[in-house]
Amino acid sequence: RSDDTIQCMKFIPTQNVNYLATGGWDNKIRIFNINYNIINMNINEEAQISSNLEYSYSHNSPIFSLSWEGNSGRIFTGCADGSVNVLDMAKRNLTTFGNHKNACKEVIYHQNYNIVLTGGWDGVVNIFDLRSSSPVCSYQFENKVYSMSCAKDLFVVGLSEVKIAYFNLKKVQNNIFKPELIFNSHLKYQTRKVCVFPDGKGFA
């Protein structure tokens, strides 16, 4: 149970463990162990679901986004104070390794490239190599970042004023990082969420 509104939640991307991480407006990240037992395999499936709080850690401000590092015990968080953090469950410590000038709205760990992508209300998108404390690449938009998603080489950013941008991560070389295209959404209202197809060939 959270003490305030939950803003983000993610299951750990591994088949053998059902860890669920949540973050929200009470400044806390929580990791739950979810147990799911099917007790009736008929059409009307019945199941017993229980959860145990495995770990909790307080941040300095509300948590807007989180992302697991593969199946490890490390979680990246983006917060309302602009901080980008990594929480190591094994070592039980939280480290800030990046900052935005305004809230960090999105943080994504990309396993294929071993990088962390962050986007904020300051309009900046960063690429962090975990071996460095500063971004290896950045791009400044004229609009706030509201949503981000990536798979394979496709990286999509949903922006304020109904703008959408996408990058080809294969082309990020020698610190050159710029969108392939920035365009107006075909939808009438503000973009709240973008999601790249698992095969990286398109997005919703």
Side-chain angles (χ1 to χ4, degrees):
R1 177 183 173 87
S2 176
D3 297 325
D4 205 335
T5 304
I6 293 174
Q7 177 71 23
C8 50
M9 60 174 61
K10 292 279 177 64
F11 275 102
I12 189 171
T14 183
Q15 295 181 351
N16 299 322
V17 181
N18 290 325
Y19 281 138
L20 174 68
T22 68
W25 287 85
D26 62 357
N27 301 5
K28 290 183 179 179
I29 189 168
R30 293 175 173 84
I31 292 90
F32 297 90
N33 190 355
I34 309 296
N35 298 304
Y36 181 88
N37 297 314
I38 298 175
I39 58 177
N40 187 345
M41 292 297 292
N42 295 328
I43 295 177
N44 296 321
E45 180 181 298
E46 296 179 17
Q48 293 176 332
I49 302 175
S50 63
S51 65
N52 298 310
L53 179 62
E54 295 280 329
Y55 185 58
S56 176
Y57 203 98
S58 292
H59 288 54
N60 292 326
S61 68
I63 302 164
F64 281 179
S65 183
L66 62 87
S67 184
W68 290 88
E69 182 190 15
N71 58 3
S72 76
R74 298 209 303 174
I75 303 172
F76 302 100
T77 58
C79 296
D81 63 0
S83 65
V84 183
N85 316 281
V86 57
L87 173 63
D88 193 317
M89 290 175 58
K91 296 179 180 178
R92 302 282 169 139
N93 70 333
L94 181 75
T95 304
T96 298
F97 67 90
N99 284 282
H100 284 263
K101 293 179 181 178
N102 205 326
C104 179
K105 181 60 177 65
E106 294 286 346
V107 58
I108 300 172
Y109 173 73
H110 197 308
Q111 188 166 2
N112 292 356
Y113 288 95
N114 193 30
I115 56 174
V116 174
L117 301 153
T118 71
W121 287 352
D122 56 0
V124 175
V125 173
N126 292 318
I127 295 180
F128 287 93
D129 182 326
L130 300 180
R131 296 166 294 186
S132 173
S133 59
S134 58
V136 293
C137 295
S138 295
Y139 186 84
Q140 176 71 64
F141 287 103
E142 296 179 358
N143 309 89
K144 292 181 178 180
V145 174
Y146 283 164
S147 181
M148 300 189 333
S149 180
C150 67
K152 308 293 186 182
D153 301 317
L154 179 60
F155 172 44
V156 178
V157 182
L159 301 157
S160 60
E161 300 179 10
V162 262
K163 299 287 185 182
I164 303 283
Y166 70 86
F167 298 78
N168 182 349
L169 293 177
K170 264 189 178 178
K171 295 185 178 181
V172 179
Q173 296 177 354
N174 301 320
N175 296 334
I176 297 173
F177 178 53
K178 61 181 181 180
E180 298 289 290
L181 186 66
I182 304 174
F183 60 96
N184 289 325
S185 168
H186 301 296
L187 302 178
K188 181 178 179 180
Y189 299 106
Q190 176 58 52
T191 303
R192 303 304 301 173
K193 190 69 177 177
V194 293
C195 189
V196 173
F197 298 166
D199 61 8
K201 295 182 179 180
F203 67 93

